[in-house]
């Protein structure tokens, strides 16, 4: 029985009819799927036909917190956005940090389900349990940071906000959902789905406490986990010093730092865009999400040159790479500017950068004709990246419209889809699978297209160095473990970064004492496996199959040209069959009946 | 022989960003990490005094390969090798 953690209420907003209903949270689902990503996926699986067009009225968007959100559990500020993603056509879940999730809980709700389509732009105001759809015609067209500010002006100065920018409104497949103006639920094009519904955002404020089941035991679990995190050298200080951009030098030093649209995996000028350089040149201050002792976020400023004075959140490692090395750029100011612009338009920095990189290769190879390019799209030109991001965000000219659809559709249009560095049409993050074998298996099998945070094997393959990054053996199990752990974790409402210090058992303890569920490490991992399989079932029903669990030919066939991983390719076949076996799936990647029974997943 | 040592994040402050170290032929990683070649504070940051081993959270690469998968402290060094040293890492 739910005794705490959850507020027990779900808000269902039908934009077509304007009706807003409060429903009870289903206890049985909460026990089987927790909240957040798991519960949201269950709603999608039960209520949405997986074959629909993601940008049609029939798609739904679930904005979900987890039972630890709004408690004193460390790093518990996450909010998940679950939908059928338009970039990939798969089930999609993106999540962001900040303060929105806890505020939603304080307003009395665990989840919000957005369905239908509004006739005119609207936003949702949730205040102490009162909910209201309000016109947003005057907000339509506004940039993300402006929208954040205006939403607070229109509602309450201390409201927390969620919003889409012009990219989402124009249904760019790279559109994200932003929180508080600069925290992004970045991937899979979730922002476009809200745009297709004429839904600009949410402002929320509340003052209800989030009660936990066993206050004494919960407090002890919080003290214990916070202590672990503060002693751990990364979460206790390293993360705050350099932020995630610390990884630039690491990944480049091992030669797994994709460069110029993955034509290489070593960037000689990496130092110029590294976390160390960023700290010296641009850091204004650190920033932490709700209840987070780690504080990996940062606010930066461009101090000189033609973008002087521009400020913004980030950049994260992924963005420094996608808008930097992937485009051959060592001009950190241009990278920062492109990053700020992505946030303003509400676009995923990873996909945006990789799409520009793809355009650059198409251009340099002569596949993208000069007449389609308003300026030379040459690798290494910082100005080209900044200008391309503007075109993409505003969908100006033919190129802007094409870029806004992501690298796969762009490259397909110019008849060279093999130059899109993506899996299931979603762009790669900042790790070259040729130099880190397990992460390639993760990209290929990820349920939302290429992604690192569905199964961050980098932690074991590179950072702790627990396993050899260049070996194939054991990677199937490793990928499964990381995938299951993350699926469960994303359903609790705490941040993935806690796992650098905490194990599944620690998080299960927080969860149990908060909710009253009896969940040990084993059960926690099984919940993760259940969620992973449910996502897979959604995708299979949407038409995906084994053939989609693959990587671009460049990664499979073209050896890395230079650097410490020179000569490496990714032999995915050496791991994929193993992976299906470890998962209890058949040779086509379909979960067997035994597995589904074991996970208590009924199929129809 | 000449070996290049690159340190990152806060280790830069104790080891210096990039230094070149002259080592006798046949030297191994352990020789490089001794305070004869690196500042004592740097050695302190890298080596567990009780066991004499590299601290488990420190990542040391020789030409991009984690020395743990080479021969650890006994990894042989050659002229022109690049040794990269990282403090505890995370992120994503
Ligand atoms: S580790 Fe970083 S992203 Fe995670 S909750 Fe803390 S500040 Fe937010």
């Amino acid at each position: 029985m739910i005794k705490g953690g959850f507020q027990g209420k779900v808000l269902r907003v039908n934009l077509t009819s304007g009706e807003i209903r409060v429903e009870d949270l289903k206890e049985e689902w909460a026990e089987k799927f927790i909240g957040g990503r798991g519960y949201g996926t269950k709603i999608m699986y039960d209520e949405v036909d997986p074959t629909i067009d993601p940008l049609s009225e029939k798609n739904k968007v679930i904005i979900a917190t987890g039972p630890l959100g709004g408690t004193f559990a460390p790093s518990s500020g996450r909010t998940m956005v679950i939908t059928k993603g338009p970039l990939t056509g798969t089930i999609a879940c993106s999540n962001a940090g900040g303060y929105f999730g806890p505020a939603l809980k304080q307003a009395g709700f665990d989840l919000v389900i957005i369905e239908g389509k509004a006739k005119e732009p609207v936003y949702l105001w949730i205040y102490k349990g009162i909910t209201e759809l309000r016109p947003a015609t005057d907000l339509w067209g506004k940039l993300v940071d402006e929208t954040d500010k205006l939403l607070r002006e229109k509602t309450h100065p201390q409201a927390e906000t969620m919003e889409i920018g012009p990219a989402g409104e124009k249904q760019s497949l790279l559109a994200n959902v932003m929180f508080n103006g600069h925290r992004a639920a970045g991937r899979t094009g979730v922002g476009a789905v809200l745009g297709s519904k004429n839904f600009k955002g949410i402002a929320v404020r509340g003052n209800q406490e989030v009660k936990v089941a066993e206050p004494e035991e919960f407090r002890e679990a919080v003290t214990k986990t916070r202590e672990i995190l503060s002693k751990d050298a990364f979460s206790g200080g390293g993360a705050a010093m350099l932020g995630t951009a610390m990884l630039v030098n690491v990944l480049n030093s091992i030669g797994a730092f994709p460069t110029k649209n993955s034509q290489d995996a070593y960037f000689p000028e990496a130092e110029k865009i590294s976390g160390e350089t960023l700290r010296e040149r641009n850091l204004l201050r650190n920033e932490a999400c709700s209840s987070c002792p780690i504080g990996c976020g940062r606010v930066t400023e461009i101090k000189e040159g033609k973008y002087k004075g521009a400020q913004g959140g980030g950049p994260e490692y992924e963005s420094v790479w996608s808008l930097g090395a992937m485009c051959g750029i060592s001009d950190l100011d241009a990278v920062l500017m492109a990053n700020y612009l992505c946030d303003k338009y509400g676009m995923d920095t990873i996909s945006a950068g990789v799409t520009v990189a793809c355009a650059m290769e198409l251009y340099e190879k002569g596949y993208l004709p000069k007449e389609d390019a308003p300026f030379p799209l040459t690798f290494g030109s910082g100005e080209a990246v900044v200008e391309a991001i503007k075109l993409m965000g505003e969908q100006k000219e033919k190129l802007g419209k094409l870029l806004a659809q992501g690298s796969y559709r762009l490259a397909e249009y110019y008849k060279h889809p093999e130059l899109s560095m993506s899996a299931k049409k979603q762009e790669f993050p900042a790790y070259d699978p040729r130099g880190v074998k397990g992460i390639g298996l993760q990209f290929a099998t990820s349920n939302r297209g290429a992604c690192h945070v569905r199964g961050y094997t980098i932690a074991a393959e590179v950072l702790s160095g627990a396993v050899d990054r260049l070996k194939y053996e054991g990677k199937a199990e490793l990928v499964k473990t990381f995938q299951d752990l993350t699926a469960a974790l994303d359903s609790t409402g705490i941040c993935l970064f806690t796992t650098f210090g905490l194990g599944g058992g620690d998080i299960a303890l927080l969860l149990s004492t908060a909710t009253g569920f009896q969940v040990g490490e084993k059960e926690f991992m099984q919940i993760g496996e259940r969620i992973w399989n449910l996502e897979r079932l959604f995708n299979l029903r949407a038409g995906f199959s084994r053939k989609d669990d693959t990587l671009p030919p460049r990664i499979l066939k073209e050896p890395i040209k230079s650097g410490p991983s020179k000569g490496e390719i990714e032999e995915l076949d050496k791991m994929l069959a193993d992976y299906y076996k470890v998962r209890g799936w058949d040779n086509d990647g379909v979960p067997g009946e035994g597995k589904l029974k074991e996970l208590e997943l009924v199929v129809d | 022989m000449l070996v290049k040592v690159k340190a990152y994040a806060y280790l830069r402050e104790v080891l210096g960003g990039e230094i070149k170290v002259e080592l006798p032929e046949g030297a191994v990683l352990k020789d490089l990490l001794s305070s004869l070649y690196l500042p004592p504070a740097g050695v302190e940051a890298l080596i567990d005094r009780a066991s004499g081993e590299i601290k488990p959270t420190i990542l040391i690469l020789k030409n991009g390969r984690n020395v743990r998968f080479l021969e650890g402290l006994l990894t042989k060094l050659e002229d022109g090798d690049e040794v990269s040293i990282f403090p505890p890492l995370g992120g994503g």
Side-chain angles (χ1 to χ4, degrees):
Chain A
M1 213 184 81
I2 300 177
K3 298 196 200 113
F6 294 96
Q7 300 296 51
K9 296 287 172 212
V10 174
L11 194 66
R12 188 182 290 271
V13 181
N14 188 306
L15 298 172
T16 311
S17 65
E19 190 195 356
I20 301 178
R21 264 198 341 244
V22 178
E23 299 173 357
D24 288 333
L25 188 85
K26 292 187 179 133
E27 272 207 40
E28 192 209 328
W29 286 15
E31 287 195 39
K32 277 169 79 172
F33 300 98
I34 319 179
R37 173 171 160 194
Y39 198 103
T41 302
K42 178 64 176 157
I43 298 176
M44 286 298 293
Y45 189 80
D46 277 36
E47 296 187 8
V48 176
D49 172 0
T51 62
I52 56 157
D53 169 2
L55 296 177
S56 73
E57 204 176 321
K58 294 196 187 110
N59 201 0
K60 300 190 184 188
V61 180
I62 292 124
I63 295 135
T65 67
L68 296 178
T71 69
F72 293 111
S75 319
S76 53
R78 306 303 287 188
T79 313
M80 270 66 50
V81 184
I82 304 112
T83 189
K84 176 170 172 169
L87 181 65
T88 56
T90 62
I91 185 87
C93 169
S94 268
N95 75 60
Y99 293 82
F100 182 92
L104 185 63
K105 294 279 287 283
Q106 283 151 9
F109 300 104
D110 297 303
L111 297 101
V112 181
I113 304 170
I114 311 274
E115 51 191 34
K117 177 180 178 174
K119 276 191 201 70
E120 300 287 333
V122 289
Y123 76 91
L124 181 68
W125 169 222
I126 310 174
Y127 187 46
K128 297 184 181 170
I130 301 166
T131 53
E132 193 185 346
L133 275 174
R134 293 178 166 184
T137 321
D138 55 335
L139 293 174
W140 211 248
K142 293 275 187 278
L143 297 171
V144 165
D145 49 349
E146 292 168 355
T147 309
D148 167 55
K149 202 166 134 249
L150 287 168
L151 277 174
R152 273 183 282 111
E153 271 173 35
K154 285 170 179 285
T155 56
H156 191 290
Q158 270 112 39
E160 303 297 341
T161 70
M162 176 197 105
E163 56 272 322
I164 57 166
E169 294 170 8
K170 295 194 171 90
Q171 302 179 30
S172 159
L173 301 185
L174 311 185
N176 61 18
V177 174
M178 300 288 290
F179 292 86
N180 301 102
H182 70 268
R183 283 273 168 183
R187 311 226 60 204
T188 62
V190 285
V193 182
L194 288 179
S196 75
K197 297 185 174 308
N198 272 325
F199 189 80
K200 183 71 175 169
I202 303 180
V204 60
R205 179 164 169 81
N207 58 1
Q208 269 183 49
E209 192 194 337
V210 180
K211 295 209 175 71
V212 295
E214 297 156 16
E216 226 9 78
E217 288 79 1
F218 182 71
R219 196 170 315 135
E220 274 170 33
V222 171
T223 312
K224 179 182 162 212
T225 46
R226 281 185 179 267
E227 236 171 56
I228 298 175
L229 290 174
S230 71
K231 283 204 189 112
D232 175 78
F234 166 69
S235 50
M241 181 181 175
L242 295 183
T244 54
M246 73 165 70
L247 294 180
V248 169
N249 276 325
V250 182
L251 270 295
N252 198 51
S253 296
I254 63 167
F257 194 55
T259 301
K260 296 189 180 172
N261 205 32
S262 304
Q263 293 182 83
D264 211 338
Y266 181 73
F267 188 48
E269 295 175 284
E271 184 62 48
K272 293 186 189 153
I273 54 167
S274 68
E276 285 87 347
T277 307
L278 183 70
R279 179 182 163 88
E280 261 171 46
R281 289 181 78 238
N282 307 92
L283 185 66
L284 287 182
R285 59 178 186 276
N286 287 9
E287 221 183 42
C289 302
S290 180
S291 191
C292 183
I294 304 173
C296 74
R298 38 218 46 235
V299 177
T300 51
E301 182 186 46
I302 302 175
K303 301 253 165 75
E304 56 201 54
K306 65 176 160 191
Y307 310 120
K308 187 176 169 182
Q311 283 188 13
E316 300 294 332
Y317 165 61
E318 304 295 333
S319 319
V320 168
W321 161 78
S322 61
L323 300 161
M326 194 60 164
C327 297
I329 310 293
S330 58
D331 171 358
L332 186 56
D333 290 337
V335 173
L336 286 168
M337 193 61 205
N339 178 69
Y340 301 155
L341 285 171
C342 284
D343 279 0
K344 281 176 186 284
Y345 293 123
M347 289 191 302
D348 173 26
T349 50
I350 300 180
S351 282
V354 176
T355 300
V356 175
C358 175
M360 287 176 156
E361 187 172 353
L362 289 165
Y363 177 85
E364 291 203 344
K365 295 230 154 91
Y367 305 142
L368 192 161
K370 290 225 159 59
E371 53 276 20
D372 285 1
F375 43 84
L377 285 159
T378 35
F379 280 117
S381 163
E383 195 172 343
V385 174
V386 171
E387 292 308 314
I389 294 294
K390 285 187 194 158
L391 277 188
M392 186 188 285
E394 288 162 19
Q395 294 192 28
K396 284 225 176 98
E397 309 194 34
K398 178 179 175 186
L399 185 64
K401 292 193 178 71
L402 282 168
L403 290 171
Q405 303 305 305
S407 66
Y408 188 85
R409 289 160 179 91
L410 171 82
E412 197 178 37
Y413 179 84
Y414 289 112
K415 310 230 164 20
H416 287 276
E418 76 282 1
L419 295 185
S420 162
M421 293 305 119
S422 60
K424 298 189 178 74
K425 300 187 184 158
Q426 170 153 274
E427 287 73 18
F428 275 16
Y431 310 89
D432 197 310
R434 290 170 291 188
V436 190
K437 307 305 184 188
I439 202 72
L441 178 62
Q442 154 55 23
F443 288 177
T445 59
S446 159
N447 286 333
R448 66 163 193 177
C451 170
H452 58 298
V453 287
R454 296 290 96 153
Y456 197 62
T457 62
I458 298 298
E461 293 188 280
V462 181
L463 306 182
S464 75
V467 296
D468 190 334
R469 66 185 170 92
L470 294 178
K471 293 247 158 70
Y472 293 99
E473 296 80 59
K475 294 297 164 77
E477 288 86 359
L478 185 76
V479 168
K480 174 182 183 290
T481 305
F482 273 90
Q483 288 176 339
D484 293 349
L485 173 68
T486 317
L489 184 92
D490 283 347
S491 306
T492 63
I494 69 173
C495 178
L496 178 63
F497 286 5
T498 57
T499 56
F500 289 109
L502 306 180
D506 299 313
I507 299 158
L509 184 66
L510 286 169
L511 181 66
S512 303
T513 50
T515 58
F517 298 166
Q518 299 300 312
V519 182
E521 180 165 8
K522 192 165 147 253
E523 291 79 17
F524 189 69
M525 293 301 285
Q526 198 186 37
I527 292 173
E529 187 178 8
R530 182 180 297 132
I531 297 166
W532 191 267
N533 277 269
L534 190 67
E535 291 175 338
R536 180 79 179 180
L537 291 177
F538 185 97
N539 289 348
L540 291 170
R541 283 169 54 183
F544 288 86
S545 64
R546 177 181 180 136
K547 71 172 184 346
D548 301 298
D549 293 342
T550 191
L551 299 168
R554 170 164 291 165
I555 303 299
L556 302 174
K557 289 182 200 139
E558 273 177 39
I560 293 177
K561 291 196 188 83
S562 72
S565 299
K566 185 175 168 183
E568 292 289 332
I569 57 165
E570 168 82 328
E571 295 177 73
L572 182 64
D573 285 345
K574 288 197 171 158
M575 299 179 286
L576 192 61
D578 247 17
Y579 171 82
Y580 288 163
K581 213 175 285 158
V582 174
R583 279 242 167 257
W585 298 353
D586 69 14
N587 282 340
D588 294 319
V590 178
E593 208 163 312
K595 182 47 82 181
L596 295 179
K597 263 201 198 125
E598 176 196 319
L599 296 173
E600 298 170 61
L601 285 173
V602 202
V603 257
D604 28 79
Chain B
M1 64 179 174
L2 213 51
V3 172
K4 200 197 275 178
V5 181
K6 282 179 160 178
Y8 296 95
Y10 69 77
L11 288 178
R12 279 201 177 160
E13 281 148 39
V14 280
L15 288 171
E18 185 177 318
I19 48 174
K20 292 219 169 86
V21 180
E22 179 74 50
L23 290 172
E25 287 310 313
V28 295
L29 183 65
K30 195 175 178 174
D31 304 320
L32 169 69
L33 299 184
S34 82
S35 53
L36 287 180
Y37 300 101
L38 297 183
V43 179
E44 186 78 11
L46 306 178
I47 305 287
D48 181 75
R49 215 186 291 179
S51 66
E53 294 293 324
I54 303 169
K55 287 187 179 166
T57 52
I58 296 283
L59 174 65
I60 302 185
L61 309 175
K62 183 188 103 165
N63 301 333
R65 289 289 279 152
N66 189 339
V67 296
R68 194 189 293 209
F69 302 109
L70 301 170
E71 277 143 283
L73 281 173
L74 299 180
T75 301
K76 290 182 196 67
L77 298 175
E78 279 166 39
D79 190 48
D81 275 351
E82 193 171 300
V83 175
S84 317
I85 308 177
F86 294 94
L89 296 164

